[in-house]
Amino acid sequence: MAITNPLPAAFIESQVKLALLEDIGQQDLTAELIPADAEAHATLITRQQATLCGRDWFNSVFAQLHPQIQVNWLVADGDRLEADQVICELNGPARAILTGERTAMNFLQTLSATATVAQQYADAVAGLPVKVLDTRKTLPGWRMAQKYAVRCGGCFNHRFGLFDGILIKENHINAAGSIAQAVTQARQLHPDVAVEVEVENLDELQQALFAHADIVLLDNFDIDLLRQAVAINQGRAQLEASGGILLDNIRQIAETGVDRISVGALTKDIQAVDLSLRFQ
């Protein structure tokens, strides 16, 4: 399943540039042990099942280090990988490949980790009319990249930041005076932006529906309360379950009839995919 990367090349290049500066500084001292004219052939494999993400970042590392490095990909972002599967092959100057090895794999293993977790959650609700969404619980500086990885894994993006969506929470409600007043102010300030309200009980749900919120986030509702919320809502707003979502309970939550489920674990609770670059 190939996924088109919507992120601008300049954005990816800037991320990679900073990462290379962080790792190399002024020079790679160890790479100087290798003859300057030495050529290398290497293969990258995954040691575990995973969903791939991060090809463009990987490519950019080597493109910035040496124009003669060639990367031949055997899989695409969004593809499912088996343990010991060859992901790509590299050919070119040995020094530059060795210098870029760690940075390139850091990007690939981290983004593939997010895509892999997203794939697991997407698989868990397969066949049900629900969207699994990410949150803003991302690695600082990596939000756009991780949200791309979420899509590679088959899940969906919530708002990207505070700039592209309105989510009214408890403190906003207290400051505004009520749910109705908060929603009214949001409509007046940004009439073209969807308004979401986080609620903690059925009474607050009723208030959000009366105020005509577009989306209502049901914070830490148990299964019975979720079912009641769906019955009360009757399709008036999009309902989003959030809080305490795990792989072993997400399908049961989805079966209550909610429209969306937001999961911080997609980007927060990840473990890097185990990769290995082998020189031949």
Side-chain angles (χ1 to χ4, degrees):
M1 178 182 64
I3 305 292
T4 301
N5 188 350
L7 302 185
F11 171 81
I12 294 173
E13 289 168 6
S14 66
Q15 274 197 311
V16 169
K17 183 177 181 180
L18 287 173
L20 287 171
L21 178 63
E22 175 182 62
D23 200 35
I24 300 171
Q26 297 301 312
Q27 63 186 121
D28 179 354
L29 301 178
T30 311
E32 293 178 350
L33 304 176
I34 309 301
D37 60 352
E39 295 287 309
H41 172 75
T43 57
L44 181 69
I45 68 166
T46 175
R47 297 184 182 275
Q48 64 180 87
Q49 290 185 330
T51 298
L52 185 74
C53 181
R55 280 186 15 163
D56 286 353
W57 286 263
F58 190 96
N59 289 343
S60 183
V61 168
F62 294 108
Q64 291 188 40
L65 287 173
H66 204 293
Q68 292 182 10
I69 296 177
Q70 297 179 341
V71 183
N72 177 35
W73 288 95
L74 304 178
V75 290
D77 279 0
D79 283 353
R80 300 188 189 218
L81 310 175
E82 297 298 327
D84 299 321
Q85 182 174 346
V86 176
I87 299 173
C88 68
E89 299 174 342
L90 296 91
N91 294 281
R95 278 189 180 184
I97 293 176
L98 286 166
T99 296
E101 172 186 5
R102 182 70 271 151
T103 298
M105 288 201 295
N106 282 348
F107 279 108
L108 202 65
Q109 70 185 18
T110 303
L111 294 178
S112 293
T114 296
T116 300
V117 173
Q119 188 77 70
Q120 292 168 350
Y121 276 87
D123 288 349
V125 298
L128 297 177
V130 66
K131 287 185 175 182
V132 180
L133 306 168
D134 56 24
T135 70
R136 288 166 50 233
K137 296 175 182 178
T138 54
L139 298 173
W142 281 60
R143 180 167 299 171
M144 297 289 284
Q146 281 196 286
K147 282 182 173 284
Y148 166 67
V150 165
R151 298 195 299 278
C152 285
C155 292
F156 297 83
N157 297 142
H158 207 289
R159 57 179 179 166
F160 276 71
L162 300 176
F163 55 86
D164 67 336
I166 295 173
L167 176 50
I168 300 170
K169 298 188 176 187
E170 180 181 10
N171 288 336
H172 301 107
I173 295 167
N174 290 338
S178 69
I179 289 175
Q181 288 176 315
V183 172
T184 297
Q185 290 178 32
R187 298 282 189 213
Q188 291 173 346
L189 291 169
H190 302 285
D192 298 325
V193 178
V195 177
E196 181 169 7
V197 178
E198 179 182 272
V199 302
E200 297 181 353
N201 52 59
L202 294 178
D203 178 63
E204 290 181 350
L205 168 63
Q206 294 276 23
Q207 294 178 51
L209 294 175
F210 183 78
H212 302 294
D214 299 297
I215 308 165
V216 181
L217 188 154
L218 309 171
D219 185 34
N220 284 298
F221 277 38
D222 62 25
I223 295 297
D224 183 59
L225 282 177
L226 288 173
R227 292 196 184 101
Q228 292 183 56
V230 170
I232 291 169
N233 181 49
Q234 296 184 342
R236 285 178 285 176
Q238 291 275 299
L239 294 185
E240 176 180 328
S242 186
I245 312 296
L246 303 170
L247 274 174
D248 61 6
N249 68 8
I250 190 171
R251 189 168 186 90
Q252 186 180 17
I253 290 169
E255 288 171 344
T256 64
V258 295
D259 305 286
R260 300 149 52 110
I261 304 173
S262 53
V263 184
L266 300 186
T267 53
K268 181 173 65 72
D269 300 336
I270 58 172
Q271 183 173 346
V273 171
D274 190 2
L275 304 175
S276 176
L277 188 66
R278 297 175 177 175
F279 282 73
Q280 299 172 351

